[in-house]
Each structure stands twice: as structure tokens, then as C-alpha cells.
Amino acid sequence: MSEIITVEVHWLAVQPVPGLRSSDPALRRYFSVQPHVALLRQYDLPEKLWIVPHAIRPRDGFHQLASREILPNEVARTPYPEIDLVEGISGSVTSVSADLFPGDVLITHIAARAASPFRADLRSFLRKIAALRTAKSVSAVDGLVRKVRNLASGDRKHSADHGRYDPYFVMAIRLPQRPEDFDQTIDSLRPDLTALLIGAKDSSFLTNDLVDRVSSANEALNTKASSELLLLNRQGALYVTPAGEYRGPHLNRLRRTKDLATLACYARALLRDGHDFATTQPELAEFLVKKLEQWIDYPELTFDASVSHTLTWQSLMEHMLLEDRLAAWRKFFEGNQMRSSSGMNSRSDAWWSAEALDVALRRIAGAEKS
């Protein structure tokens, strides 16, 4: 048995950013900006179904400004040295980045890693790390989310509006138990892991029926591999593995689950449309939703690079109600006939580039004036 238990957390923060463009000088002052093609390519999606965000990577100046507020001494890159994540547990921020999606949706990613000595009480440890479920409850992480949004828009005054975001978490826990002891350990911890996933403060108040329903809802995700466990819902995902080197069939499962969650969070935000994007840019909105229709209506054909990808995407769809959101979006706009996508040529290989998108939007604006 290992004497160390490790936790890696990826926080997603989903925000509307009306009018923010990848070509904005204010954005490029503190960030490098490039199309994030690899996000889609890793799942072998047909290019005609791509919705390509721009990857936003902080420059040294961002890290210097951001680290001053959470560290004794500023740093110019990640990882940030040890910071307090939750009482009794410190760790390092290993990554800060964001994706700016078409449709004015920004998804900020903050990752941190912590290791703690194992003291033979896994249940109390799981209760303690429950505070890491959302970026909003970790002061340093919440501050980084706000800093990304503020500096991306050129606002260094910390606008209150820029602090609003919808959180999602992906948490990986490496237990100290060996692989041969993993399944027995997981069986004893199921109520505690369920409480961590759903945000319940005390697992002792959970009914056996609730614990069984959570396990059943995630059963398909865990049939292919032993000695690992993936649980997810609309709030986040837990990925649990034993000590030692990974020997299962799902290489890079944590990263790919996080990336699929990013796409699902984007789809939910665009279809929810709390920032009225479909009203202000109806043609582009229709163009994007046409692609989402394929993601949602035909997941087995769209995310077919592996069964694991398909099952994970279908589970995220179900928990985030993407089918219902798509149906509601269609119904809302069926009485408001949207214009044809003449301004958005879906055959363009790089419609999502800053230049092509600006040209298309100017064409739409010209058509509206006429």
C-alpha cells in the first residue's frame, strides 16, 4: 500500500462573453490565441461537424499579475508553488487556460494537484476534498477564473459581472490501495464517493437506493476496465484509480473526459443562450446549432472513435439534458424563421478563423441593413 493519496482537480468555468473576439488586441496582450483544432481532432469528428474554439494561453504578464494576488512572490509561468486549496491540504496550480467558443462562450480551465499522507481514514479525506468540487469555494482558483475573464476583455478593475460563471469539475483521485485491493475498497466507499459527486455533506444520510441509482447510471462507463472507476453527473466527474502505474485500457481517460465535458458544457451554454446570442446573431446561432444537432442526435456516429468516448458523451448529454435543451431551442425559434446560412458557408475549411468569421458577420450585418 502506498503512503500517499493524490488528487488532481480540473475546474471549468463557463461564462458568456458578448462581443469578445479572438482578434481583440486586449485579449492578445496577456494571452496567446490559436485555433484549438486538437480538441475536436482527438475524437475523429468529421471536419464538417467541428465547432472550433480558440485556445487562450496566458503569457508571462498574466502569470505575473495573477500570482501576485495568491502567492508571496510572483511567478511567470505554471506551476504555481504550494497554495492552500482546502484546510489541511495544499497543492500547486498546474495549468491555467481557456477556450473561446463561437457563440460568445468562454470556458476557463484551472488545474491543480495535491498529495497528502495517507492516515488510514479515506472517508474523512473524501469529506475534506468535497470543498474542491467548485472553483467558487477555492479562493485562489476563483480569483484565477476572474482574472482570466477580466484580462481577456481588457478590464483590470474586476467587474462584478465578469465574476459570474457556471462551474463544472473533473476530479481524479489516486487511492493508496494496490490494484488487487481496489474493488473491495471502492465497494466500501461507494456512499462516500456518491456524496462527493452530488455534493452531499454527509454520506450517512444517503439512502442505499440513491447510492445504487448513481452506480447504475454510471455502470456502462465502468464495464470495460477493472481497477478504475468513473462517475459523472451534471455537476462534475470523479475518476478513481489505485496506486501504481496505470495498466487499464483507457489511456488519457482523465484528459479526454475533461475535454468531452468542455464540449458538453459549451453545448449546454449555447442552447441555454442566457446572453441572447441567437437574437443578436441568428444566422450564426443557427449554423452552430445545426452542428450541435449532429452531436446530440447521432452520438454513436459523431463520437465513434471509441466506445468509451461514445458512452461518456452520451452520459454527459443525458445529465446535462442536451436533447431537451435542443428541442426547446428548436421550438422557441420555429415561430421566428431564421435566415438561411448564406453568410456562413459551411463548406469553408476554416470558417471559425478570426478572419473568416469577421467577414461572415460583416456580410450578415450588410444584409440586415438592406
Side-chain angles (χ1 to χ4, degrees):
M1 179 182 293
S2 169
E3 296 181 353
I4 298 295
I5 182 169
T6 62
V7 181
E8 182 177 343
V9 189
H10 296 260
W11 293 277
L12 309 183
V14 186
Q15 297 173 280
V17 284
L20 183 62
R21 298 287 174 262
S22 60
S23 56
D24 287 355
L27 174 63
R28 291 176 177 265
R29 178 179 179 184
Y30 290 104
F31 304 91
S32 65
V33 183
Q34 297 291 336
H36 196 176
V37 175
L39 180 65
L40 289 305
R41 184 174 286 157
Q42 66 180 316
Y43 303 111
D44 292 339
L45 265 71
E47 288 192 30
K48 64 183 179 181
L49 299 182
W50 285 5
I51 301 178
V52 180
H54 277 77
I56 297 174
R57 303 290 182 261
R59 300 183 188 274
D60 291 356
F62 170 90
H63 290 302
Q64 290 166 343
L65 286 174
S67 62
R68 289 173 192 169
E69 300 180 11
I70 60 176
L71 296 171
N73 301 300
E74 70 178 42
V75 297
R77 60 186 60 85
T78 54
Y80 294 0
E82 296 292 296
I83 61 173
D84 291 331
L85 296 175
V86 65
E87 185 178 356
I89 298 179
S90 61
S92 59
V93 172
T94 58
S95 177
V96 179
S97 64
D99 283 301
L100 177 59
F101 281 88
D104 295 350
V105 176
L106 180 72
I107 301 184
T108 301
H109 311 252
I110 312 293
R113 181 180 177 85
S116 177
F118 176 58
R119 296 188 175 90
D121 188 357
L122 286 174
R123 288 187 172 85
S124 66
F125 180 82
L126 293 176
R127 286 195 297 271
K128 181 178 292 187
I129 64 174
L132 301 178
R133 293 177 70 259
T134 171
K136 294 181 179 181
S137 62
V138 184
S139 176
V141 176
D142 182 62
L144 287 170
V145 169
R146 295 170 185 270
K147 184 66 73 175
V148 169
R149 175 65 177 92
N150 289 333
L151 294 184
S153 60
D155 176 13
R156 295 181 59 174
K157 298 180 180 179
H158 306 285
S159 168
D161 289 340
H162 293 175
R164 299 171 183 171
Y165 58 87
D166 293 324
Y168 194 86
F169 74 94
V170 178
M171 182 184 297
I173 305 170
R174 177 164 291 183
L175 298 177
Q177 280 74 17
R178 297 169 297 184
E180 56 266 32
D181 301 322
F182 181 80
D183 290 342
Q184 182 179 354
T185 301
I186 287 297
D187 285 341
S188 67
L189 291 176
R190 284 194 183 276
D192 307 277
L193 292 170
T194 300
L196 179 57
L197 178 70
I198 68 176
K201 292 183 178 180
D202 191 339
S203 62
S204 64
F205 290 105
L206 301 184
T207 64
N208 291 334
D209 179 62
L210 174 58
V211 174
D212 290 342
R213 281 191 284 117
V214 170
S215 296
S216 177
N218 289 277
E219 184 176 4
L221 301 176
N222 296 288
T223 57
K224 187 176 178 180
S226 60
S227 298
E228 63 181 276
L229 178 70
L230 176 64
L231 302 174
L232 58 82
N233 66 4
R234 65 182 179 85
Q235 299 168 309
L238 294 178
Y239 181 50
V240 190
T241 56
E245 183 179 352
Y246 178 76
R247 293 185 172 88
H250 301 300
L251 295 177
N252 302 313
R253 193 177 196 186
L254 174 64
R255 175 177 58 79
R256 289 182 173 175
T257 299
K258 184 262 295 181
D259 288 345
L260 283 171
T262 297
L263 296 177
C265 285
Y266 165 66
R268 179 172 62 179
L270 188 71
L271 293 172
R272 180 186 289 165
D273 198 16
H275 53 302
D276 293 330
F277 179 78
T279 301
T280 57
Q281 298 289 349
E283 188 171 79
L284 178 55
E286 183 181 26
F287 176 75
L288 296 172
V289 171
K290 286 288 187 184
K291 294 176 182 289
L292 290 184
E293 285 179 347
Q294 297 297 308
W295 296 12
I296 296 169
D297 289 344
Y298 305 101
E300 294 181 349
L301 301 179
T302 305
F303 295 92
D304 62 349
S306 79
V307 174
S308 176
H309 297 165
T310 302
L311 292 174
T312 302
W313 175 253
Q314 287 177 318
S315 183
L316 287 164
M317 276 179 42
E318 179 180 352
H319 286 293
M320 295 193 185
L321 304 177
L322 295 188
E323 288 182 300
D324 290 341
R325 294 184 190 281
L326 176 59
W329 196 95
R330 287 167 170 160
K331 186 172 183 179
F332 182 82
F333 286 103
E334 68 183 6
N336 304 309
Q337 186 172 0
M338 304 183 79
R339 292 178 288 278
S340 66
S341 4
S342 58
M344 300 300 304
N345 183 359
S346 60
R347 296 182 180 180
S348 171
D349 291 335
W351 63 266
W352 34 263
S353 69
E355 295 78 8
L357 196 56
D358 285 345
V359 168
L361 292 175
R362 285 197 299 271
R363 186 180 299 132
I364 294 170
E368 289 176 343
K369 291 179 180 178
S370 64

